[in-house]
Amino acid sequence: SNPTSLPFKIPILIKTRPLALIHIDAHADTGDAYLGSRFHHGAPFKVATDEGLIDPKRTIQIGIRGSLAHPEQWQFSKDSGMKVISMEEVETIGVKGVLAE
């Protein structure tokens, strides 16, 4: 599960600069607080960015397609400077196009 990956990264990041991230998933996982908690399966990369653990300018999210019912969930990724390549775009530009990004 995505939330479990954050605690394992913290000791590494304390000694280095924020991580660049290549995130291949259907979901951006940059959602806001849900049911009063900012720690949930839909938010680990927002939390990590907010905490300075991930550099959004050196982050690419590939294959994002959901939730189509809530496209504003992608807004944090875009506003923070993450490069977001939707699944539809992957299908259009292909693997070579994604690698060029």
Side-chain angles (χ1 to χ4, degrees), residues 24-42:
I24 302 170
D25 197 341
H27 306 102
D29 295 335
T30 55
D32 261 330
Y34 180 72
L35 298 175
S37 177
R38 62 187 271 232
F39 300 102
H40 59 88
H41 75 278

Side-chain angles (χ1 to χ4, degrees), residues 6 10 13-14 17-19 47-55:
L6 183 58
I10 292 172
L13 295 169
I14 290 171
R17 67 183 185 153
L19 287 178
V47 172
T49 300
D50 289 346
E51 297 292 328
L53 302 174
I54 293 174
D55 179 352

Side-chain angles (χ1 to χ4, degrees), residues 40-93:
H40 59 88
H41 75 278
F45 299 122
K46 181 180 188 311
V47 172
T49 300
D50 289 346
E51 297 292 328
L53 302 174
I54 293 174
D55 179 352
K57 305 273 190 263
R58 297 186 310 130
T59 295
I60 186 167
Q61 296 184 302
I62 303 165
I64 306 302
R65 63 169 173 76
S67 160
L68 297 177
H70 302 284
E72 71 276 3
Q73 289 182 1
W74 304 358
Q75 201 60 48
F76 177 84
S77 297
K78 293 176 181 178
D79 289 349
S80 68
M82 295 179 184
K83 173 70 177 171
V84 178
I85 301 177
S86 69
M87 190 62 222
E88 292 81 11
E89 192 175 353
V90 170
E91 291 171 345
T92 300
I93 66 175

